[in-house]
């Protein structure tokens, strides 16, 4: 039926093409035109027979900052090369020296995707036109991090003016396995092959056509690959934003070449505050913070299990545990739960919130912050130890030091009786890369950063595609259904729930709570559901029930990714927002109309609360859902670097990261003939064309003889 339908459609198109032929066409020219039109109408079908598209790929794209461009791109028409599979380093000899058919498109085993191979051997040679990287399974045992050894260097608190001895990771190299590959510039395309089946198709094509025999080059036809990833922006953010500005000023149809990385921070407070007014300067807040974004070498491949998800899931669980305490309305200090976006790229979210607080564009001021607690990477603890990091420079301040000491004591005491032991890092060690550093740049605030590492990261896959659930030891029994997997409480979930419990109890004490904290307990079931949703499958029954009906499209079937991107809010931001609202908010008895328009509802206090009409769970007796209204204090605030607000695109104070635009991203494989055969085909084609033109001219000149109608012999002329 599909073929018949296709033929019917093709007949209709050709018929319409024929109907449009010019009236002056004679029989043969018209026939030739009809054949050509029919050929063009069948072009898609011919293309499908020639090319095999690769649909599950992720490209390396171009990013830019104030001074550099990083990432990859192809030529404007795509880059093509003969495929060569490289599974061990010796295989590179064929590509770099021996192979007779350059340029080559390398199918590179994931274990060889490292700096020594890519930078030292492949970059800069004209014999390589691109890379397709397969995912290593299991994860590379030596670790793999394409990030920097000193993440966000230059944008934290340490500089020549503040703790110069700690600047540029002089004391502690936080990410020792960092290769910096993500921050290099490549003039050829590099794609990740996400689907093992597509990888096998490429390898089979290579085996059938490209394998060298006895050291000699294979015979044509050869299996080739073509990668398209041409980028529009070049040089730096300064250049591309200036071009954007010129286009917007003088062009009728402006073409944007790059966009700032941006999204939204998610925040809420334990006690409601008026979001449209400034908080009383005398009111004190405990700020709890974490990041919700990650990154890797490839675009939108950012699982971030340890680098982001473990911490913000723990943060969410602590917020839920604290809201369940019976006497929170009696606490002297308020607590602000904050989830920053874009922190991977020089602290976009935190620097923007600090900027807004300084410029009175946020309800709180920096002066309202009593103390700061940040959850960093917390899933890979050695035994039960969780490390408390503080800033050695601010501790030299006689006013700040007692407050930090009190903060550390409360945290340590909150872990008594728990399976988590909090230990203080040595006084001479600086803070690890953290959002707290951006607040310290503006004001001496007592604060602590909680991590699973005493010095260098425990995470050997920081900012990479391998920072997956397996990296934080998430394991499930075989044979579970998706719903059973969602509910199964893993050891990782239990461990993070213990951390969340300690944090929640400490926050209660910091806020002035005096009662027994044994009842404050994070729920491992909630933690396991969040880990499943943020790391394995967003499209699950719990996430479906807590979001708005018009947002159900964000729950795709792909593995969740946590890249900040340029279109906002991204899926992660929405889901953190609604999970936080679900865990800390209240179900209120309002109709859909009242919930969607709280300003028309008496006593709704819209300035104090946010209202969301969510889908609800499925009715057990039907296929319909039971929606309801959630009231919470959850809000969004802009996470766009102040550099773009100030139009200071060359700023060294704020993040300046932008992402290039592109027209198309695609990859395909096909068989390519030899140059000799291509030339012969071209010559024969030209010869046939010339012969056809001569024949057509001759036939047209003799048309009156060849196509004359004979007279009727029965007719006599007088």
């Amino acid at each position: 039926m599909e073929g018949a339908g296709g033929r019917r459609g093709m007949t209709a198109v050709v018929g319409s093409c024929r109907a449009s032929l010019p009236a002056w066409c004679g029989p043969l020219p018209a026939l030739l035109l009809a054949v050509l039109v029919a050929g063009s109408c069948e072009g898609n079908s011919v293309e499908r027979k020639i090319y095999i598209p690769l649909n599950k790929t992720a490209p390396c794209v171009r990013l830019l900052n104030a001074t550099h461009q990083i990432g990859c791109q192809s030529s404007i028409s795509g880059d093509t090369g003969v495929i060569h599979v490289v599974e061990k380093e010796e295989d590179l000899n064929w590509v770099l020296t021996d192979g007779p058919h350059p340029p080559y498109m390398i199918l590179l085993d994931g274990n060889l995707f490292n700096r020594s191979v890519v930078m030292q051997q492949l970059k800069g040679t004209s014999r390589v036109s691109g890379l397709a990287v397969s995912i290593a399974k299991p994860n590379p045992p030596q670790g793999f991090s394409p990030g920097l050894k000193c993440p966000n260097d230059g944008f934290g608190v340490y500089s020549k003016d503040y703790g110069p001895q700690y600047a540029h990771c002089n004391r502690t190299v936080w990410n020792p396995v960092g290769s910096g590959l993500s921050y290099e510039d490549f003039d050829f395309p590099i794609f990740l092959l996400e689907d093992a089946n597509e990888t096998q198709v490429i390898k089979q094509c290579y085996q059938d056509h490209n394998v060298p025999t006895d050291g000699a080059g294979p015979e044509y036809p050869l299996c080739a690959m073509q990668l398209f990833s041409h980028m529009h922006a070049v040089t730096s953010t300064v250049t591309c934003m200036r071009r954007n500005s010129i286009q917007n000023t003088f062009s009728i149809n402006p073409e944007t070449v790059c966009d700032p990385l941006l999204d939204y921070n998610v925040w809420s407070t334990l006690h409601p505050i008026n979001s449209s007014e400034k908080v009383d300067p005398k009111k004190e807040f405990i700020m709890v913070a974490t990041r919700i974004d990650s990154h890797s070498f490839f675009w939108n491949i950012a699982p971030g299990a340890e680098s982001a998800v473990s911490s913000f899931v723990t943060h969410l669980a602590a917020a839920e545990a604290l809201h369940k305490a019976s006497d929170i309305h009696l606490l002297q200090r308020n607590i602000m739960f904050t989830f920053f976006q874009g922190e991977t790229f020089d602290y976009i979210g935190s620097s923007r919130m600090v900027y807004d607080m300084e410029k009175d564009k946020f309800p709180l001021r920096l002066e309202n912050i009593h103390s700061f607690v940040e959850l960093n990477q917390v899933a890979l603890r050695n035994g039960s130890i969780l490390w408390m990091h503080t800033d050695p420079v601010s501790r030299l301040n006689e006013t700040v030091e007692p407050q930090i000491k009190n903060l550390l004591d409360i945290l340590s005491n909150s872990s008594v009786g728990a399976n988590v032991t909090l230990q203080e890092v040595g006084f001479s060690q600086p803070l690890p890369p953290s959002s707290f550093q951006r607040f310290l740049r503006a004001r001496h605030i007592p604060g602590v950063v909680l991590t699973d590492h005493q010095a260098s990261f425990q995470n050997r896959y920081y900012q990479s595609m391998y920072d997956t659930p397996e990296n934080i030891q998430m394991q499930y029994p075989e044979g579970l259904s998706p719903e059973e997997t969602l509910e199964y409480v893993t050891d990782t979930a239990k461990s993070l729930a213990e951390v969340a419990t300690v944090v929640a109890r400490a926050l209660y004490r910091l806020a002035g709570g005096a009662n027994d904290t044994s009842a404050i307990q994070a729920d491992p079931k909630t933690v396991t559901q969040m880990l499943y949703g943020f790391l394995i499958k967003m499209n699950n029954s719990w996430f479906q029930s807590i979001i708005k009906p018009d947002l159900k499209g964000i729950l795709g079937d792909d593995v969740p990714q946590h890249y900040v991107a340029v279109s906002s809010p991204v899926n992660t931001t929405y889901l953190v927002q609604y999970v936080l609202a679900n865990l800390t908010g209240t179900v209120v008895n309002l109709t859909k109309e009242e919930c969607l328009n709280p300003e028309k509802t008496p006593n709704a206090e819209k300035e104090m609360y946010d209202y969301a009409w969510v889908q609800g769970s499925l009715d057990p007796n039907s296929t319909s859902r039971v929606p309801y209204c959630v009231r919470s204090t959850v809000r969004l605030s802009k996470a766009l670097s102040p550099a773009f607000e100030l139009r200071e695109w060359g700023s060294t104070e704020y993040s300046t990261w932008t992402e290039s635009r592109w027209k198309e991203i695609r990859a395909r494989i096909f068989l390519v003939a030899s140059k000799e055969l291509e030339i012969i085909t071209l010559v024969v084609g030209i010869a046939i064309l010339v012969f056809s033109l001569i024949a057509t001219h001759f036939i047209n000149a003799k048309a009156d003889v060849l196509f004359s109608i004979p007279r009727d012999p029965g007719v006599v002329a007088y």
Side-chain angles (χ1 to χ4, degrees):
M1 293 299 294
E2 183 180 331
R7 284 193 292 273
R8 283 197 300 271
M10 188 169 66
T11 302
V13 172
V14 173
S16 67
C17 292
R18 286 174 178 164
S20 64
L21 291 174
W24 52 263
C25 287
L28 271 176
L31 181 61
L32 284 171
L33 276 174
V35 170
L36 288 172
V37 170
S40 68
C41 293
E42 293 183 24
N44 288 337
S45 176
V46 172
E47 182 176 352
R48 286 197 297 271
K49 292 178 181 178
I50 296 174
Y51 299 104
I52 298 177
L54 304 174
N55 298 316
K56 289 288 291 180
T57 61
C60 159
V61 303
R62 176 168 290 165
L63 299 174
L64 310 99
N65 65 10
T67 55
H68 292 80
Q69 65 179 30
I70 63 172
C72 321
Q73 77 155 354
S74 72
S75 62
I76 195 166
S77 56
D79 288 332
T80 304
V82 173
I83 295 172
H84 191 76
V85 176
V86 175
E87 295 180 329
K88 53 186 184 297
E89 204 159 338
E90 294 75 33
D91 295 337
L92 289 171
N93 294 333
W94 183 265
V95 173
L96 299 175
T97 56
D98 302 337
H101 305 120
Y104 285 95
M105 192 68 70
I106 298 175
L107 174 55
L108 188 68
D109 183 271
N111 287 297
L112 293 177
F113 186 60
N114 54 51
R115 189 174 186 88
S116 65
V117 170
V118 179
M119 286 295 297
Q120 297 176 11
Q121 299 188 57
L122 302 182
K123 186 178 179 181
T125 174
S126 60
R127 292 178 61 89
V128 175
S129 58
L131 296 181
V133 182
S134 63
I135 298 175
K137 291 186 178 179
N139 292 352
Q142 72 277 12
F144 173 74
S145 172
L148 298 171
K149 293 183 183 296
C150 190
N152 291 356
D153 186 25
F155 290 87
V157 69
Y158 302 112
S159 65
K160 60 182 178 61
D161 300 318
Y162 187 97
Q165 67 273 32
Y166 306 119
H168 313 301
C169 296
N170 285 336
R171 281 292 170 87
T172 307
V173 177
W174 297 107
N175 185 29
V177 298
S179 65
L181 269 183
S182 290
Y183 296 84
E184 296 289 347
D185 183 41
F186 298 93
D187 59 359
F188 54 79
I190 304 178
F191 277 52
L192 177 69
L193 301 173
E194 299 181 72
D195 189 342
N197 292 327
E198 289 188 344
T199 304
Q200 192 55 44
V201 167
I202 300 170
K203 288 184 176 180
Q204 189 60 53
C205 188
Y206 167 80
Q207 291 289 338
D208 293 343
H209 299 280
N210 294 12
V211 175
T213 54
D214 299 325
E219 298 294 327
Y220 284 98
L222 299 174
C223 190
M225 182 184 294
Q226 190 172 29
L227 302 178
F228 296 84
S229 62
H230 182 67
M231 300 287 128
H232 294 176
V234 295
T235 308
S236 68
T237 289
V238 176
T239 301
C240 79
M241 291 300 292
R242 185 173 64 241
R243 290 178 179 175
N244 286 352
S245 181
I246 292 172
Q247 284 274 337
N248 291 331
T249 304
F250 298 106
S251 177
I252 298 174
N253 298 306
E255 182 177 339
T256 302
V257 295
C258 69
D259 301 282
L261 296 181
L262 78 158
D263 203 83
Y264 287 89
N265 299 321
V266 182
W267 64 277
S268 73
T269 53
L270 187 65
H271 303 148
I273 63 171
N274 191 326
S275 61
S276 61
E277 295 180 357
K278 296 292 174 290
V279 171
D280 186 336
K282 296 179 181 178
K283 290 190 175 180
E284 295 181 330
F285 286 74
I286 313 298
M287 178 172 275
V288 197
T290 191
R291 67 173 60 189
I292 58 175
D293 69 297
S294 188
H295 180 43
S296 81
F297 185 87
F298 299 99
W299 182 76
N300 205 30
I301 300 295
E306 160 74 339
S307 61
V309 177
S310 68
S311 57
F312 74 70
V313 161
T314 304
H315 188 169
L316 288 164
E320 180 194 32
L322 199 55
H323 272 78
K324 288 180 177 179
S326 59
D327 60 340
I328 56 172
H329 60 285
L330 301 175
L331 297 180
Q332 303 167 10
R333 300 186 183 99
N334 207 339
I335 300 174
M336 180 176 173
F337 305 98
T338 317
F339 301 81
F340 292 119
Q341 261 287 15
E343 295 301 273
T344 303
F345 295 96
D346 300 336
Y347 306 117
I348 293 173
S350 56
S351 63
R352 179 53 187 260
M353 184 169 284
V354 171
Y355 174 83
D356 286 344
M357 287 181 175
E358 290 178 321
K359 303 298 181 182
D360 285 340
K361 296 181 179 180
F362 195 80
L364 272 69
R365 300 176 178 87
L366 290 169
E367 291 78 6
N368 292 115
I369 301 175
H370 171 270
S371 50
F372 198 107
V373 177
E374 179 169 354
L375 285 161
N376 212 303
Q377 303 178 82
V378 294
L380 298 177
R381 305 200 312 273
N382 275 332
S384 63
I385 299 176
L386 198 66
W387 295 96
M388 300 183 291
H389 299 259
T390 56
D391 171 39
V393 179
S394 60
R395 294 191 70 170
L396 298 175
N397 185 304
E398 294 181 357
T399 305
V400 176
E401 166 60 15
Q403 295 174 288
I404 294 177
K405 191 65 180 167
N406 179 59
L407 175 59
L408 296 173
D409 289 342
I410 289 175
L411 281 164
S412 298
N413 294 335
S414 298
S415 67
V416 174
N419 290 326
V420 179
T421 303
L422 274 80
Q423 291 189 17
E424 184 181 350
V425 174
F427 189 87
S428 62
Q429 184 168 288
L431 287 168
S434 52
S435 306
F436 179 42
Q437 292 200 32
R438 291 302 303 194
F439 285 80
L440 276 179
R441 281 175 73 126
R443 182 180 174 86
H444 281 304
I445 298 172
V448 62
V449 178
L450 303 178
T451 75
D452 55 21
H453 55 88
Q454 180 180 10
S456 300
F457 296 161
Q458 297 272 51
N459 185 6
R460 293 177 297 125
Y461 305 106
Y462 182 75
Q463 290 186 7
S464 89
M465 56 193 171
Y466 300 114
D467 192 5
T468 58
E470 292 77 19
N471 187 33
I472 58 172
Q473 286 89 50
M474 280 177 62
Q475 297 177 339
Y476 296 93
E478 293 183 4
L480 296 183
S481 68
E483 198 63 27
E484 290 170 336
T485 309
L486 172 67
E487 301 292 334
Y488 181 81
V489 180
T490 63
D491 290 340
T492 302
K494 295 175 184 176
S495 174
L496 293 180
E498 291 167 353
V499 176
T501 297
V502 171
V503 171
R505 291 174 179 176
L507 293 174
Y508 174 83
R509 290 286 186 226
L510 285 168
N515 293 331
D516 180 48
T517 59
S518 59
I520 299 176
Q521 190 79 37
D523 186 358
K525 183 178 178 182
T526 302
V527 174
T528 209
Q529 288 177 325
M530 288 191 286
L531 288 173
Y532 179 82
F534 285 113
L535 288 175
I536 297 175
K537 189 177 182 181
M538 282 185 172
N539 196 8
N540 61 72
S541 59
W542 185 46
F543 277 9
Q544 290 168 6
S545 69
I546 64 174
I547 63 169
K548 292 181 177 180
D550 58 337
L551 291 178
K552 60 184 178 183
I554 69 173
L555 301 176
D557 291 324
D558 294 333
V559 175
Q561 306 296 341
H562 307 292
Y563 175 60
V564 58
V566 296
S567 56
S568 59
V570 296
N571 298 0
T572 304
T573 302
Y574 273 131
L575 289 170
V576 168
Q577 177 188 5
Y578 286 101
V579 168
L580 182 60
N582 177 267
L583 298 180
T584 63
T586 306
V587 177
V588 290
N589 187 22
L590 295 179
T591 65
K592 180 179 180 180
E593 181 66 25
E594 291 171 334
C595 190
L596 295 177
N597 300 283
E599 66 277 0
K600 299 178 182 178
T601 305
N603 303 318
E605 298 181 292
K606 181 167 172 48
E607 295 80 11
M608 309 290 284
Y609 297 101
D610 178 73
Y611 291 81
W613 185 257
V614 300
Q615 290 194 118
S617 302
L618 285 170
D619 190 325
N621 301 318
S622 71
T623 58
S624 61
R625 294 186 176 275
V626 183
Y628 56 91
C629 185
V630 175
R631 185 185 72 183
S632 71
T633 61
V634 180
R635 307 281 183 175
L636 298 181
S637 65
K638 193 177 291 186
L640 170 66
S641 171
F644 299 100
E645 195 95 345
L646 301 168
R647 296 177 66 86
E648 295 177 358
W649 305 319
S651 173
T652 57
E653 170 73 13
Y654 299 112
S655 170
T656 55
W657 286 105
T658 54
E659 181 185 273
S660 174
R661 287 200 178 186
W662 58 81
K663 184 167 288 185
E664 63 175 345
I665 298 286
R666 61 190 174 103
R668 60 189 185 181
I669 63 173
F670 57 96
L671 294 181
V672 62
S674 66
K675 293 294 183 185
E676 292 80 4
L677 181 58
E678 290 177 348
I679 292 171
I680 292 171
T681 304
L682 176 63
V683 171
V684 171
I686 293 172
I688 292 173
L689 174 63
V690 171
F691 174 78
S692 301
L693 292 174
I694 294 172
T696 303
H697 175 74
F698 173 76
I699 293 170
N700 194 49
K702 301 295 183 180
D704 56 335
V705 176
L706 295 173
F707 304 111
S708 62
I709 301 174
R711 292 183 177 182
D712 187 345
V715 178
V716 180
Y718 293 93

